[in-house]
Amino acid sequence: MARLADIVRRSDETIARSFQATPATNEERRAWWATRDVLDAQLGRLCSDLQSVLGGFRVLLQGVRVDDDDDRPDVRGVQSAVNTAVAALKGSRVSAVSMQLCALFAELGPDATDRELRDVLSAFAPGFDDDEYSRVLPDFTASFTRAVSTASTEEAPLRHHVVLVLDRHVQRFPWESLPCLSVSSVSRLPTLAFLRDRLSLHSDGVAEADGQSAYYVINASRDLGETQTRLEPSLVRCGFVGVAGRPPTQDEWMRAVTMHDVFLYMSHGSGMQYVRYEKLLAPNQSAEKGRQAAVAVLMGCQSGHLRDQGEFDPAGDALYYLYAGSPAVVGTLWDVTSIDIDMFTAEMLRLWGLVPDEEGERDECMLTVAVAEARVVCRYKYLNAGAVVVYGLPVILSRRD
């Protein structure tokens, strides 16, 4: 985590310099962009390095395939290869190994490294030394590669959603940007109790929000005029209500969160500087009517950051929205820059289906999928796009016609 902290600290320093009053020279601007380029590349390498550390067990992070079928030819081939290798290690025949585990490890594909395949062997036959694993690895590699090469490679398989329950030591890491998760539907929840509570409200694991009931707050601090120019027009065309160019009153804020299904905040921080925590958490009219609090899309710096509390669980503004009943909260783990995050926001809202494209057509997908797919529009895929995470459950939009 020290590498991540150092990258984020240096990124924060570049952002702070960009807000200095004195105009930068062309040379200073080039140096600023060059520094950001280097930091983004370093963060990308850190994500790849962590995946390498996970080795073959990285498949445990991936969602189960929608077409989950343990009887696929590639899975049967992996099972046969594992059975043979384990028998060679133990010197005797073994009972058939788990097809479910074989299906997971088949996801490593034909390009699996020796390290990853050694992890596969250790999962099924733990306790042997490196020399023993090395003895059977060549034959196992050949059999495994033949087996997984029979799988269809026409397109990436559809996967079920993944919920990450991260402890306080690793929760600030952008796990969603690991190569094995970067195009997946992923969200976070602080505890299994939170997950159980959300599933009691949404038994199929997916929440629903009215795509015609949205409230926005843009440029509340009056110093993000370009953000307002970029994002407000499409929201106005959709007929959404909100405030722009000024801070919301506490009553406006509460109506936004409790009387609408989607709350969009595009300004500094999480916006909690405009409302008291106890006001947000108190029983409200919408709760009394059986409504949940709005899905909160908070695109300010560190809006999704959870503060360290020593031996206690981390705390942060995003969790207050979950406590208040929001099915999902989008936020950023650290400071981000406005142009990239504005492009991300526009693309995310389009992919989600909240706003139409230039032809007036609407896409439709889960919010978590929209977040994953919108990352590609950013110049900085890790420093900016990688900072955006989702807390809660996937959310789809409905529309009353």
Side-chain angles (χ1 to χ4, degrees), residues 266-284:
M266 288 83 81
S267 195
H268 294 299
S270 66
M272 291 301 293
Q273 62 267 38
Y274 302 114
V275 64
R276 298 194 308 272
Y277 292 103
E278 59 269 24
K279 183 77 171 177
L280 179 63
L281 297 176
N284 53 65

Side-chain angles (χ1 to χ4, degrees), residues 150-171:
T150 64
S152 173
T153 57
E154 293 181 1
E155 58 183 26
L158 295 176
R159 299 184 183 278
H160 289 291
H161 180 72
V162 174
V163 176
L164 300 176
V165 180
L166 305 170
D167 81 357
R168 59 190 177 87
H169 300 291
V170 299
Q171 54 84 21

Side-chain angles (χ1 to χ4, degrees), residues 131-401:
D131 290 340
E132 288 297 298
Y133 288 128
S134 297
R135 177 175 60 84
V136 302
L137 189 60
D139 288 341
F140 176 66
T141 299
S143 299
F144 181 93
T145 302
R146 282 197 303 271
V148 297
S149 294
T150 64
S152 173
T153 57
E154 293 181 1
E155 58 183 26
L158 295 176
R159 299 184 183 278
H160 289 291
H161 180 72
V162 174
V163 176
L164 300 176
V165 180
L166 305 170
D167 81 357
R168 59 190 177 87
H169 300 291
V170 299
Q171 54 84 21
R172 201 182 188 194
F173 196 88
W175 293 90
E176 296 84 347
S177 292
L178 264 62
C180 64
L181 288 177
S182 60
V183 295
S184 300
S185 173
V186 183
S187 65
R188 302 175 171 212
L189 279 170
T191 65
L192 289 174
F194 248 112
L195 177 59
R196 183 175 63 247
D197 174 73
R198 290 303 183 265
L199 291 178
S200 70
L201 299 173
H202 310 283
S203 58
D204 60 352
V206 179
E208 187 174 302
D210 182 358
Q212 295 175 304
S213 175
Y215 191 101
Y216 61 85
V217 174
I218 304 180
N219 188 23
S221 53
R222 299 189 179 96
D223 60 353
L224 293 174
E226 293 183 359
T227 292
Q228 182 175 343
T229 299
R230 283 189 285 263
L231 298 176
E232 185 182 18
S234 63
L235 302 177
V236 172
R237 285 195 296 270
C238 289
F240 300 144
V241 295
V243 298
R246 67 169 177 84
T249 67
Q250 187 161 261
D251 286 343
E252 287 173 328
W253 191 276
M254 291 307 302
R255 285 198 299 272
V257 174
T258 63
M259 304 306 292
H260 294 81
D261 277 24
V262 179
F263 173 55
L264 307 172
Y265 176 79
M266 288 83 81
S267 195
H268 294 299
S270 66
M272 291 301 293
Q273 62 267 38
Y274 302 114
V275 64
R276 298 194 308 272
Y277 292 103
E278 59 269 24
K279 183 77 171 177
L280 179 63
L281 297 176
N284 53 65
Q285 285 185 330
S286 65
E288 292 168 0
K289 295 176 181 177
R291 288 172 52 107
Q292 61 190 13
V295 175
V297 179
L298 314 174
M299 302 311 297
C301 292
Q302 298 193 46
S303 56
H305 171 61
L306 302 185
R307 300 178 294 278
D308 182 60
Q309 304 289 309
E311 292 300 314
F312 299 99
D313 290 335
D317 296 344
L319 298 187
Y320 287 105
Y321 283 91
L322 293 181
Y323 295 145
S326 294
V329 181
V330 180
T332 61
L333 295 174
W334 51 74
D335 288 353
V336 291
T337 51
S338 60
I339 295 178
D340 246 6
I341 213 66
D342 290 350
M343 290 193 301
F344 176 94
T345 302
E347 181 69 359
M348 173 187 64
L349 297 181
R350 183 190 68 80
L351 291 169
W352 190 25
L354 191 70
V355 299
D357 60 21
E358 294 179 354
E359 285 74 39
E361 300 295 325
R362 291 183 187 271
D363 288 330
E364 182 178 313
C365 70
M366 297 188 301
L367 176 59
T368 45
V369 173
V371 167
E373 294 184 356
R375 291 191 177 105
V376 300
V377 304
C378 294
R379 170 169 177 165
Y380 295 118
K381 304 295 188 297
Y382 298 96
L383 282 184
N384 287 329
V388 184
V389 298
V390 181
Y391 295 91
L393 294 180
V395 180
I396 58 173
L397 294 175
S398 61
R399 304 190 68 83
R400 296 191 304 266
D401 295 323

